[in-house]
């Protein structure tokens, strides 16, 4: 009996989504107060976001853009693209001195053909630094870091809305900065230096610091705040902070905490992006249906925080189909593996429409 009820409810959710996607309510009687919102055929995340002045983005992989379903959903729903990994240093320059921009160029070309903006991701990240840098002296390393930033930003100059200049530089505990190859060879000043070089290399790009785990109000968020506050006080050119938002439906920062954190970053004059959002459900209890509902509610509520914060400019999801997510074994995104919208999709759409 329980199974039958679950299947039935799942069907109702699917029908509601199909109705919203198809805009099939337009010839119905006016909606009563308890009726679900009726969508028009022109609905998409990007059009709803534009109505709120928000960019709606996704991470993509160049090799998937030619797949019809992937391409259809990417082009229909999003107006802001991030390369999931193909603009990172280890992909561009796996061997010292020979740079290959082909994959990143494919993404940039696709974005341009679709009238989408591009987020540059990311110039300095310990997780995507080519291994050949390990053998370099501090002086050599300083020089190749400088050359890397200048070469990549010059290659894409004028085409990138915002660059993640430094990614995940803050330690989760202990000293403020993570003990990366950058800090070991260059000292703490490598962050300020990177932002200064970045501003010179492409003055038209917004410059962002991007990190995870500091979305709400907690010690990591305080560390991010301290870092960017110090950078600003030192005259370092920084325009914004990306809050990655890799969260779980079963234990996420509260809306109030995310809103307060965004507000205090805005108080420093910074722009805020939700930069890599996905919401895990495999660790949530309950039925499949209740997990998907918890995911819908979480997506809705977090996106709504951005909608309500004037300095929150963009929401980027870390992919859009559960068929292609870095969180293998989970289903953290807005579309299922068959590219059908999940309840989470409707949650985001509702929030972007101010509901
Ligand atoms: C991840 C990508 O999703 C993977 O495909 C890649 O192998 C490793 O990086 N924080 C970030 C992103 O800033 O660049 C990471 O992306 C996820 C965590």
């Amino acid at each position: 009996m329980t199974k039958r009820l679950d299947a039935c409810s799942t069907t109702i959710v699917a029908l509601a989504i199909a109705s919203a996607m198809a805009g099939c309510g337009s010839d119905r009687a006016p909606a009563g107060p308890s009726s679900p919102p009726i969508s028009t055929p022109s609905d998409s995340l990007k059009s709803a976001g534009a109505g709120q002045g928000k960019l709606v983005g996704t991470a993509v992989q160049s090799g998937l853009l030619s797949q019809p379903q992937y391409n259809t959903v990417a082009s229909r729903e999003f107006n802001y693209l991030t390369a999931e990994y193909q603009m990172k240093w280890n992909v561009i320059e796996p061997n010292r001195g020979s740079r290959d921009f082909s994959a990143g160029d494919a993404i940039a070309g696709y974005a341009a053909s679709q009238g989408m903006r591009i987020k540059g991701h990311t110039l300095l990240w310990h997780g995507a630094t080519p291994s050949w840098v390990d053998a370099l002296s501090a002086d050599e390393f300083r020089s190749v870091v400088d050359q890397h930033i200048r070469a990549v930003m010059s290659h894409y100059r004028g085409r990138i809305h915002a660059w993640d200049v430094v990614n995940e530089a803050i330690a989760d505990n202990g000293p403020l900065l993570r003990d990366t190859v950058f800090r070991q060879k260059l000292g703490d000043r490598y962050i300020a230096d990177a932002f200064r070089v970045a501003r010179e290399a492409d003055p038209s790009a917004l410059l962002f610091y991007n990190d995870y785990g500091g979305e709400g109000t907690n010690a990591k968020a305080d560390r991010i705040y301290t870092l960017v506050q110090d950078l600003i006080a030192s005259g370092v050119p920084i325009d914004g902070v990306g809050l990655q938002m890799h969260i779980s439906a079963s234990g996420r920062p509260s809306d109030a905490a995310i809103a307060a954190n965004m507000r205090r970053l805005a108080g420093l004059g910074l722009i805020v992006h939700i930069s890599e959002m996905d919401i895990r459900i495999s660790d949530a209890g309950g039925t499949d249906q209740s997990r998907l509902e918890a995911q819908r509610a979480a997506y809705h509520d977090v996106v709504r925080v951005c909608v309500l914060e004037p300095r929150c400019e963009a929401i980027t999801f870390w992919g859009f189909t559960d068929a292609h997510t870095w969180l293998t074994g989970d289903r953290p995104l807005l579309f299922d593996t068959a590219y059908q919208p999940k309840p989470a999709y409707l949650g985001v759409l509702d929030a972007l429409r101010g509901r």
Side-chain angles (χ1 to χ4, degrees):
M1 187 60 188
T2 312
K3 269 204 161 137
R4 274 176 59 91
L5 272 178
D6 283 347
C8 177
S9 314
T10 305
T11 308
I12 290 168
V13 170
L15 286 172
I17 291 173
S19 162
M21 293 292 292
C24 60
S26 54
D27 56 359
R28 285 188 187 160
S34 62
S35 302
I38 292 172
S39 306
T40 65
S42 64
D43 265 346
S44 65
L45 300 181
K46 68 180 173 186
S47 65
Q52 304 286 345
K54 310 293 175 187
L55 294 168
V56 184
T58 182
V60 293
Q61 304 174 22
S62 71
L64 299 172
L65 290 170
S66 56
Q67 287 187 12
Q69 288 174 305
Y70 189 92
N71 177 10
T72 298
V73 176
S75 60
R76 185 184 68 215
E77 302 291 344
F78 304 102
N79 54 14
Y80 194 33
L81 284 198
T82 306
E84 184 169 349
Y85 60 88
Q86 291 163 312
M87 290 189 189
K88 291 171 181 169
W89 193 355
N90 60 350
V91 174
I92 290 176
E93 195 181 1
N95 301 302
R96 186 176 179 182
S98 65
R99 295 189 179 85
D100 179 358
F101 291 104
S102 54
D105 286 354
I107 291 170
Y110 180 82
S113 74
Q114 299 287 339
M116 299 167 167
R117 295 200 199 183
I118 305 167
K119 174 76 167 279
H121 178 79
T122 173
L123 294 165
L124 300 188
W125 182 34
H126 62 278
T129 305
S131 51
W132 53 262
V133 307
D134 293 343
L136 303 181
S137 69
D139 281 349
E140 282 180 302
F141 188 54
R142 185 171 297 108
S143 143
V144 299
V145 165
D146 188 281
Q147 286 163 22
H148 166 65
I149 295 172
R150 289 183 198 279
V152 176
M153 290 189 78
S154 302
H155 181 82
Y156 291 110
R157 188 182 296 137
R159 293 187 279 162
I160 303 291
H161 178 67
W163 265 107
D164 287 332
V165 178
V166 176
N167 197 38
E168 300 181 357
I170 294 173
D172 295 323
N173 43 52
L176 180 70
L177 295 188
R178 188 186 296 276
D179 196 25
T180 64
V181 65
F182 301 104
R183 182 168 185 252
Q184 287 164 8
K185 289 189 194 280
L186 307 179
D188 289 0
R189 59 172 290 186
Y190 83 88
I191 298 177
D193 289 347
F195 276 91
R196 289 199 172 98
V197 173
R199 182 65 98 217
E200 267 179 41
D202 183 357
S204 68
L206 296 169
L207 304 181
F208 271 64
Y209 176 75
N210 193 53
D211 213 330
Y212 67 87
E215 287 81 9
T217 46
N218 58 17
K220 184 76 175 276
D222 290 347
R223 287 168 164 248
I224 295 172
Y225 185 83
T226 299
L227 174 77
V228 297
Q229 187 181 38
D230 286 354
L231 291 173
I232 292 167
S234 308
V236 173
I238 176 170
D239 302 299
V241 167
L243 304 173
Q244 291 185 6
M245 208 64 76
H246 296 293
I247 58 176
S248 164
S250 61
R252 63 187 185 85
S254 72
D255 307 345
I258 299 169
N261 191 40
M262 284 186 180
R263 200 73 297 266
R264 70 174 175 166
L265 291 168
L268 293 174
L270 295 168
I271 303 166
V272 178
H273 286 177
I274 293 176
S275 57
E276 305 184 11
M277 189 171 185
D278 48 26
I279 304 185
R280 298 184 299 281
I281 53 170
S282 62
D283 49 358
T287 62
D288 198 51
Q289 186 194 344
S290 69
R291 279 196 288 273
L292 291 171
E293 165 54 23
Q295 189 180 49
R296 183 203 63 76
Y299 265 113
H300 170 273
D301 293 357
V302 174
V303 170
R304 185 168 162 75
V305 172
C306 178
V307 166
L308 294 175
E309 169 50 60
R311 300 287 288 176
C312 183
E313 183 192 45
I315 302 142
T316 288
F317 303 97
W318 210 237
F320 53 88
T321 165
D322 289 338
H324 300 289
T325 164
W326 71 308
L327 301 172
T328 46
D330 211 306
R331 291 177 293 158
L333 295 170
L334 304 183
F335 291 80
D336 67 18
T337 56
Y339 293 85
Q340 295 307 303
K342 294 161 62 183
Y345 173 89
L346 276 190
V348 171
L349 188 60
D350 272 351
L352 290 175
R353 294 159 96 202
R355 297 198 168 95

